[in-house]
Amino acid sequence: MYKKTLKVFGEYLAQSQSLPLNASADGNGVELPVDKTMGALEVVVEVDAQVGLADTKVLSVKLQHKDVGGAYADLATIYAKTAAGATTLAAGSVLARYTLPSDCKALIKAVITTTDAAATGKLNVFPSYLAR
C-alpha cells in the first residue's frame, strides 16, 4: 500500500470546488464524522484543476471541528501559500496532508480562503485512511 491513497467514495470535504474569490467558503462536500478514529485518518488537499494566484495573494485551507449539536471552531490551518509572483499549482499536486489528532471532536469540515479576486482553479479536500 506504499504511496497509495485510500479514499472512501463520496466522502469529500470539498470536491472539484472552485476557489472562492477574495473570500472564504465552506467545502462543498460532506460534514465528516471523525470521532473515535484515533489518528487513523489524514486529510489531503489536492489540486483538481490548475490553480492560479496573483503576486502576494494567499490561498489557505483550514479544518474546523465541532461536537454534535455544537458550533464549529478552528482545528488547524493545513495549507497556506502566499504567491511570490504569479503562481500556478498543477492539477494533481498534493498540497498538504494532515493527520487528525486523536482528540478531534466529532465532526469536521473544510474552509477554503483566498485573498485573490481573480483566483482560478479547483481543489479537492478528502480524508484518507492510514493503514496500520
Side-chain angles (χ1 to χ4, degrees):
M1 297 307 298
Y2 182 66
K3 292 192 176 187
K4 301 290 182 193
T5 299
L6 300 174
K7 295 188 227 180
V8 175
F9 179 77
E11 286 196 353
Y12 281 81
L13 297 167
Q15 185 173 21
S16 250
Q17 183 165 344
S18 297
L19 296 181
L21 304 179
N22 197 29
S24 290
D26 289 350
N28 63 2
V30 299
E31 177 183 75
L32 192 66
V34 296
D35 57 334
K36 301 180 184 87
T37 58
M38 298 301 293
L41 293 177
E42 70 178 354
V43 174
V44 179
V45 179
E46 171 187 73
V47 178
D48 184 61
Q50 180 173 298
V51 168
L53 293 173
D55 185 35
T56 72
K57 300 303 181 183
V58 177
L59 165 63
S60 67
V61 178
K62 70 179 172 182
L63 294 179
Q64 293 186 330
H65 65 156
K66 73 173 186 172
D67 290 319
V68 174
Y72 274 105
D74 289 348
L75 174 63
T77 298
I78 59 175
Y79 180 77
K81 168 89 174 167
T82 301
T87 299
T88 59
L89 305 170
S93 299
V94 173
L95 303 180
R97 292 179 180 274
Y98 176 78
T99 302
L100 294 174
S102 60
D103 63 349
C104 188
K105 294 182 180 180
L107 301 165
I108 63 168
K109 71 176 182 176
V111 179
I112 301 169
T113 303
T114 72
T115 60
D116 189 347
T120 59
K122 297 180 180 185
L123 295 180
N124 293 322
V125 182
F126 56 89
S128 173
Y129 175 70
L130 296 171
R132 297 173 183 213

